Amino acid sequence: MEINGKTKLAGLIGNPVEHTLSPVIHNTIAGCMGENMVYIPLPVKKDIEAAVKGAYALGIQGLNITVPYKSAVIPYLSDVDSEAAVIGAVNTLVRTEDGFKGYNTDLPGLYRAILSEGIAVEGSRIIIVGAGGAARAAAFMGAFYKAERIVILNRTVQKAVNIAKEVTEKTGFSEIEALSIEEFDKIEGCGYLVLQATKAGLFPKTEETPISDESFFKKAAVVYDLIYTPEETMFMRLSKKQGVKAYNGLKMLLYQGVAAYEMWNHVRVPDKIVQKAYEALQSKI
Ligand code: NAP
């Protein structure tokens, strides 16, 4: 595309941002839709307040926010969407008349990604492996979209306990419990949607897995691993070995980006262009 005097700018604030795939999503969609917008990584080493105020003063159209600023950015916004306020984390800033308004598109991104594989969240039993930022969003997603029950497994059990407590306090959803990973055999029944939300297995440590005991997968109906590099994690391989379908997290990345793009540009991205962005992402990983 031609960059000219009317080109709008969007970007990703975080640290580090060098390996982000978000420019692939937004620049592909903008190119396909003929939108005069470019999206770039914006590394912010410190002073998130100055970064957000400066971005607003510079007329930046919209921002994504990643680690470590998803919660730290909130005090510098003019408004926060009610769902994002409950979660306590934003990943998308939309320009308004008096400042940026914060949203969380990770949660609907994960929901839409799961749905796109034909998997229902409503009424399902969910196991979340991990208790970091992504697991937290997954737990709120389960509560918002009315799962039947949620079990959070984490290496550091206290972090899982904290998330379970917070979800109940903020949403009223009480069918949620926390266990340490080693206690997985205490989980009742089977047929669970398993959301793998730890860093174990993430590139370059691709031989790691949060759970190696193959009997765990007897509890699973389907596995959704939030990791997308590598394309197939050790956790996914173990799952498939037990005959359980497993998906990677690339569509979550895709759909959180599509949702942000749609808010910045006040458009609906047609499915065939979403598919083009997905193919562009696949060619990069
Ligand atoms: P985080 O906040 O740093 O949390 C890391 C989690 O991984 C913690 O639960 C930690 O357990 C666990 N962990 C790390 N190493 C482990 C190991 N060797 N064995 C067992 N557990 C281990 O990270 P995050 O931001 O939530 O990200 C988690 C994962 O989600 C990452 O792989 C990231 O790539 C992925 N993610 C994907 C998307 C997407 O769009 N698809 C978006 C966000 C994140 P402790 O609490 O015990 O340390």
Side-chain angles (χ1 to χ4, degrees):
M1 70 159 274
E2 182 198 309
I3 294 176
N4 57 33
K6 292 184 178 162
T7 304
K8 292 183 283 184
L9 183 61
L12 172 69
I13 282 182
N15 185 30
V17 289
E18 287 77 10
H19 302 293
T20 177
L21 289 173
S22 289
V24 177
I25 302 172
H26 293 285
N27 293 324
T28 301
I29 297 175
C32 290
M33 296 194 69
E35 189 71 48
N36 191 353
M37 183 192 98
V38 289
Y39 182 102
I40 58 167
L42 297 163
V44 172
K45 300 270 185 281
K46 53 180 185 166
D47 206 346
I48 183 66
E49 178 179 6
V52 170
K53 289 186 175 161
Y56 190 78
L58 286 167
I60 287 183
Q61 178 80 2
L63 290 164
N64 282 135
I65 305 291
T66 189
V67 178
Y69 301 121
K70 286 187 180 185
S71 299
V73 73
I74 290 176
Y76 312 114
L77 305 178
S78 60
D79 196 4
V80 180
D81 167 67
S82 57
E83 202 169 84
V86 169
I87 304 164
V90 303
N91 75 321
T92 299
L93 307 189
V94 176
R95 192 176 181 83
T96 71
E97 287 210 339
D98 13 78
F100 284 115
K101 178 170 179 180
Y103 293 83
N104 188 308
T105 68
D106 281 333
L107 192 153
L110 175 60
Y111 177 75
R112 196 167 161 191
I114 292 170
L115 203 67
S116 76
E117 306 298 359
I119 306 163
V121 173
E122 290 85 350
S124 66
R125 301 164 157 202
I126 301 179
I127 296 173
I128 298 168
V129 189
R136 211 162 149 274
F140 277 105
M141 181 205 68
F144 286 156
Y145 291 101
K146 302 196 173 16
E148 178 194 309
R149 124 163 41 130
I150 303 171
V151 182
I152 308 174
L153 297 176
N154 198 42
R155 186 174 61 176
T156 313
V157 69
Q158 190 55 45
K159 286 208 234 163
V161 171
N162 294 348
I163 293 178
K165 204 167 148 240
E166 202 189 329
V167 167
T168 302
E169 278 169 10
K170 291 184 170 173
T171 68
F173 183 88
S174 58
E175 292 302 312
I176 183 163
E177 66 172 317
L179 296 170
S180 75
I181 288 183
E182 300 82 63
E183 295 177 299
F184 76 76
D185 53 352
K186 288 189 182 164
I187 297 173
E188 278 175 34
C190 55
Y192 285 82
L193 160 61
V194 175
L195 304 175
Q196 196 303 106
T198 76
K199 284 184 170 162
L202 185 63
F203 182 83
K205 295 184 177 169
T206 54
E207 291 314 304
E208 285 188 2
T209 172
I211 300 174
S212 50
D213 184 338
E214 294 182 6
S215 69
F216 169 77
F217 296 96
K218 292 198 169 53
K219 305 221 169 272
V222 63
V223 163
Y224 192 89
D225 195 324
L226 273 64
I227 292 176
Y228 49 83
T229 48
E231 210 172 348
E232 185 176 73
T233 62
M234 175 64 88
F235 192 77
M236 290 169 65
R237 280 206 292 281
L238 291 174
S239 171
K240 288 179 183 174
K241 223 172 124 193
Q242 296 303 310
V244 177
K245 264 195 170 179
Y247 301 91
N248 70 28
L250 197 61
K251 283 197 177 164
M252 175 182 175
L253 178 76
L254 172 74
Y255 286 122
Q256 63 74 33
V258 170
Y261 184 97
E262 290 182 336
M263 283 194 276
W264 296 333
N265 295 296
H266 313 287
V267 290
R268 169 116 181 90
V269 181
D271 289 347
K272 64 175 193 304
I273 293 180
V274 172
Q275 181 59 26
K276 283 234 182 315
Y278 185 58
E279 285 161 16
L281 279 176
Q282 280 181 310
S283 73
K284 289 283 173 192
I285 58 168

